[in-house]
PDB file of all heavy atoms in Angstrom:
ATOM      1  N   VAL A  48     -10.286  22.630   8.851  1.00  0.00           N
ATOM      2  CA  VAL A  48     -10.440  24.042   9.086  1.00  0.00           C
ATOM      3  C   VAL A  48      -9.073  24.684   9.275  1.00  0.00           C
ATOM      4  O   VAL A  48      -8.774  25.745   8.692  1.00  0.00           O
ATOM      5  CB  VAL A  48     -11.257  24.330  10.370  1.00  0.00           C
ATOM      6  CG1 VAL A  48     -11.254  25.788  10.753  1.00  0.00           C
ATOM      7  CG2 VAL A  48     -12.698  23.838  10.113  1.00  0.00           C
ATOM      8  N   GLY A  49      -8.198  24.094  10.069  1.00  0.00           N
ATOM      9  CA  GLY A  49      -6.905  24.693  10.321  1.00  0.00           C
ATOM     10  C   GLY A  49      -6.129  23.977  11.367  1.00  0.00           C
ATOM     11  O   GLY A  49      -6.599  22.989  12.001  1.00  0.00           O
ATOM     12  N   LEU A  50      -4.854  24.393  11.568  1.00  0.00           N
ATOM     13  CA  LEU A  50      -4.008  23.723  12.513  1.00  0.00           C
ATOM     14  C   LEU A  50      -3.112  24.770  13.200  1.00  0.00           C
ATOM     15  O   LEU A  50      -2.865  25.848  12.706  1.00  0.00           O
ATOM     16  CB  LEU A  50      -3.139  22.641  11.865  1.00  0.00           C
ATOM     17  CG  LEU A  50      -1.959  23.093  10.996  1.00  0.00           C
ATOM     18  CD1 LEU A  50      -0.676  23.258  11.819  1.00  0.00           C
ATOM     19  CD2 LEU A  50      -1.665  22.103   9.867  1.00  0.00           C
ATOM     20  N   ILE A  51      -2.586  24.346  14.368  1.00  0.00           N
ATOM     21  CA  ILE A  51      -1.601  25.140  15.096  1.00  0.00           C
ATOM     22  C   ILE A  51      -0.420  24.242  15.430  1.00  0.00           C
ATOM     23  O   ILE A  51      -0.604  23.112  15.855  1.00  0.00           O
ATOM     24  CB  ILE A  51      -2.173  25.834  16.329  1.00  0.00           C
ATOM     25  CG1 ILE A  51      -1.095  26.776  16.930  1.00  0.00           C
ATOM     26  CG2 ILE A  51      -2.696  24.817  17.325  1.00  0.00           C
ATOM     27  CD1 ILE A  51      -1.749  27.782  17.952  1.00  0.00           C
ATOM     28  N   ARG A  52       0.779  24.746  15.224  1.00  0.00           N
ATOM     29  CA  ARG A  52       1.967  23.952  15.478  1.00  0.00           C
ATOM     30  C   ARG A  52       2.448  24.212  16.921  1.00  0.00           C
ATOM     31  O   ARG A  52       1.602  24.592  17.759  1.00  0.00           O
ATOM     32  CB  ARG A  52       3.046  24.354  14.436  1.00  0.00           C
ATOM     33  CG  ARG A  52       2.598  23.975  12.997  1.00  0.00           C
ATOM     34  CD  ARG A  52       3.654  24.306  11.965  1.00  0.00           C
ATOM     35  NE  ARG A  52       3.198  23.936  10.618  1.00  0.00           N
ATOM     36  CZ  ARG A  52       2.429  24.733   9.871  1.00  0.00           C
ATOM     37  NH1 ARG A  52       2.054  25.922  10.295  1.00  0.00           N
ATOM     38  NH2 ARG A  52       2.105  24.332   8.627  1.00  0.00           N
ATOM     39  N   LEU A  53       3.711  23.909  17.164  1.00  0.00           N
ATOM     40  CA  LEU A  53       4.226  23.889  18.555  1.00  0.00           C
ATOM     41  C   LEU A  53       4.893  25.149  18.955  1.00  0.00           C
ATOM     42  O   LEU A  53       5.209  26.015  18.098  1.00  0.00           O
ATOM     43  CB  LEU A  53       5.223  22.696  18.688  1.00  0.00           C
ATOM     44  CG  LEU A  53       4.722  21.357  18.212  1.00  0.00           C
ATOM     45  CD1 LEU A  53       5.823  20.341  18.375  1.00  0.00           C
ATOM     46  CD2 LEU A  53       3.471  20.942  18.873  1.00  0.00           C
ATOM     47  N   LYS A  54       5.241  25.271  20.226  1.00  0.00           N
ATOM     48  CA  LYS A  54       5.938  26.457  20.718  1.00  0.00           C
ATOM     49  C   LYS A  54       7.255  26.619  19.936  1.00  0.00           C
ATOM     50  O   LYS A  54       7.611  27.729  19.518  1.00  0.00           O
ATOM     51  CB  LYS A  54       6.269  26.294  22.236  1.00  0.00           C
ATOM     52  CG  LYS A  54       6.974  27.477  22.795  1.00  0.00           C
ATOM     53  CD  LYS A  54       7.246  27.216  24.292  1.00  0.00           C
ATOM     54  CE  LYS A  54       8.015  28.413  24.915  1.00  0.00           C
ATOM     55  NZ  LYS A  54       8.233  28.175  26.376  1.00  0.00           N
ATOM     56  N   GLY A  55       7.946  25.519  19.637  1.00  0.00           N
ATOM     57  CA  GLY A  55       9.200  25.553  18.878  1.00  0.00           C
ATOM     58  C   GLY A  55       9.020  26.032  17.463  1.00  0.00           C
ATOM     59  O   GLY A  55       9.963  26.478  16.866  1.00  0.00           O
ATOM     60  N   ASP A  56       7.805  25.962  16.952  1.00  0.00           N
ATOM     61  CA  ASP A  56       7.475  26.476  15.639  1.00  0.00           C
ATOM     62  C   ASP A  56       6.809  27.859  15.733  1.00  0.00           C
ATOM     63  O   ASP A  56       6.201  28.296  14.781  1.00  0.00           O
ATOM     64  CB  ASP A  56       6.503  25.503  14.947  1.00  0.00           C
ATOM     65  CG  ASP A  56       7.051  24.073  14.879  1.00  0.00           C
ATOM     66  OD1 ASP A  56       8.164  23.968  14.348  1.00  0.00           O
ATOM     67  OD2 ASP A  56       6.326  23.177  15.336  1.00  0.00           O
ATOM     68  N   ARG A  57       6.946  28.396  16.872  1.00  0.00           N
ATOM     69  CA  ARG A  57       6.337  29.764  17.206  1.00  0.00           C
ATOM     70  C   ARG A  57       4.830  29.763  17.049  1.00  0.00           C
ATOM     71  O   ARG A  57       4.268  30.770  16.688  1.00  0.00           O
ATOM     72  CB  ARG A  57       6.954  30.815  16.297  1.00  0.00           C
ATOM     73  CG  ARG A  57       8.478  31.051  16.534  1.00  0.00           C
ATOM     74  CD  ARG A  57       9.083  32.045  15.570  1.00  0.00           C
ATOM     75  NE  ARG A  57       8.994  31.512  14.206  1.00  0.00           N
ATOM     76  CZ  ARG A  57       9.107  32.197  13.065  1.00  0.00           C
ATOM     77  NH1 ARG A  57       9.249  33.539  13.152  1.00  0.00           N
ATOM     78  NH2 ARG A  57       9.064  31.644  11.896  1.00  0.00           N
ATOM     79  N   TYR A  58       4.293  28.581  17.313  1.00  0.00           N
ATOM     80  CA  TYR A  58       2.825  28.494  17.297  1.00  0.00           C
ATOM     81  C   TYR A  58       2.204  28.943  15.931  1.00  0.00           C
ATOM     82  O   TYR A  58       1.154  29.596  15.890  1.00  0.00           O
ATOM     83  CB  TYR A  58       2.139  29.237  18.429  1.00  0.00           C
ATOM     84  CG  TYR A  58       2.468  28.782  19.806  1.00  0.00           C
ATOM     85  CD1 TYR A  58       3.006  29.641  20.730  1.00  0.00           C
ATOM     86  CD2 TYR A  58       2.278  27.449  20.130  1.00  0.00           C
ATOM     87  CE1 TYR A  58       3.334  29.179  22.003  1.00  0.00           C
ATOM     88  CE2 TYR A  58       2.643  26.978  21.478  1.00  0.00           C
ATOM     89  CZ  TYR A  58       3.153  27.877  22.364  1.00  0.00           C
ATOM     90  OH  TYR A  58       3.487  27.453  23.611  1.00  0.00           O
ATOM     91  N   THR A  59       2.866  28.638  14.840  1.00  0.00           N
ATOM     92  CA  THR A  59       2.415  29.067  13.590  1.00  0.00           C
ATOM     93  C   THR A  59       1.156  28.326  13.198  1.00  0.00           C
ATOM     94  O   THR A  59       0.884  27.183  13.678  1.00  0.00           O
ATOM     95  CB  THR A  59       3.442  28.873  12.446  1.00  0.00           C
ATOM     96  OG1 THR A  59       3.941  27.538  12.529  1.00  0.00           O
ATOM     97  CG2 THR A  59       4.602  29.813  12.647  1.00  0.00           C
ATOM     98  N   THR A  60       0.300  28.877  12.368  1.00  0.00           N
ATOM     99  CA  THR A  60      -0.977  28.333  12.034  1.00  0.00           C
ATOM    100  C   THR A  60      -1.162  28.306  10.521  1.00  0.00           C
ATOM    101  O   THR A  60      -0.467  29.016   9.760  1.00  0.00           O
ATOM    102  CB  THR A  60      -2.109  29.233  12.621  1.00  0.00           C
ATOM    103  OG1 THR A  60      -1.929  30.582  12.220  1.00  0.00           O
ATOM    104  CG2 THR A  60      -2.127  29.163  14.145  1.00  0.00           C
ATOM    105  N   ASP A  61      -2.081  27.432  10.060  1.00  0.00           N
ATOM    106  CA  ASP A  61      -2.533  27.370   8.720  1.00  0.00           C
ATOM    107  C   ASP A  61      -4.034  27.243   8.710  1.00  0.00           C
ATOM    108  O   ASP A  61      -4.600  26.575   9.634  1.00  0.00           O
ATOM    109  CB  ASP A  61      -1.900  26.230   7.936  1.00  0.00           C
ATOM    110  CG  ASP A  61      -0.469  26.568   7.416  1.00  0.00           C
ATOM    111  OD1 ASP A  61      -0.390  27.485   6.591  1.00  0.00           O
ATOM    112  OD2 ASP A  61       0.465  25.905   7.861  1.00  0.00           O
ATOM    113  N   TYR A  62      -4.670  27.705   7.630  1.00  0.00           N
ATOM    114  CA  TYR A  62      -6.124  27.711   7.585  1.00  0.00           C
ATOM    115  C   TYR A  62      -6.641  27.306   6.223  1.00  0.00           C
ATOM    116  O   TYR A  62      -5.957  27.561   5.201  1.00  0.00           O
ATOM    117  CB  TYR A  62      -6.699  29.058   7.912  1.00  0.00           C
ATOM    118  CG  TYR A  62      -6.367  29.578   9.305  1.00  0.00           C
ATOM    119  CD1 TYR A  62      -5.249  30.416   9.539  1.00  0.00           C
ATOM    120  CD2 TYR A  62      -7.135  29.185  10.388  1.00  0.00           C
ATOM    121  CE1 TYR A  62      -4.918  30.826  10.800  1.00  0.00           C
ATOM    122  CE2 TYR A  62      -6.773  29.638  11.707  1.00  0.00           C
ATOM    123  CZ  TYR A  62      -5.668  30.448  11.878  1.00  0.00           C
ATOM    124  OH  TYR A  62      -5.378  30.872  13.134  1.00  0.00           O
ATOM    125  N   ALA A  63      -7.802  26.728   6.214  1.00  0.00           N
ATOM    126  CA  ALA A  63      -8.464  26.526   4.933  1.00  0.00           C
ATOM    127  C   ALA A  63      -8.861  27.871   4.310  1.00  0.00           C
ATOM    128  O   ALA A  63      -9.079  28.843   5.059  1.00  0.00           O
ATOM    129  CB  ALA A  63      -9.747  25.655   5.163  1.00  0.00           C
ATOM    130  N   ALA A  64      -8.905  27.893   3.028  1.00  0.00           N
ATOM    131  CA  ALA A  64      -9.192  29.170   2.315  1.00  0.00           C
ATOM    132  C   ALA A  64     -10.579  29.713   2.733  1.00  0.00           C
ATOM    133  O   ALA A  64     -10.788  30.971   2.794  1.00  0.00           O
ATOM    134  CB  ALA A  64      -9.165  28.973   0.839  1.00  0.00           C
ATOM    135  N   SER A  65     -11.494  28.773   3.000  1.00  0.00           N
ATOM    136  CA  SER A  65     -12.860  29.208   3.330  1.00  0.00           C
ATOM    137  C   SER A  65     -12.983  29.964   4.660  1.00  0.00           C
ATOM    138  O   SER A  65     -13.995  30.631   4.880  1.00  0.00           O
ATOM    139  CB  SER A  65     -13.799  27.970   3.373  1.00  0.00           C
ATOM    140  OG  SER A  65     -13.313  27.024   4.343  1.00  0.00           O
TER     141      SER A  65
END
Side-chain angles (χ1 to χ4, degrees):
Chain A
V48 171
L50 75 89
I51 187 165
R52 298 180 180 85
L53 310 180
K54 180 179 180 181
D56 303 307
R57 295 176 297 162
Y58 297 124
T59 52
T60 54
D61 278 297
Y62 299 94
S65 57

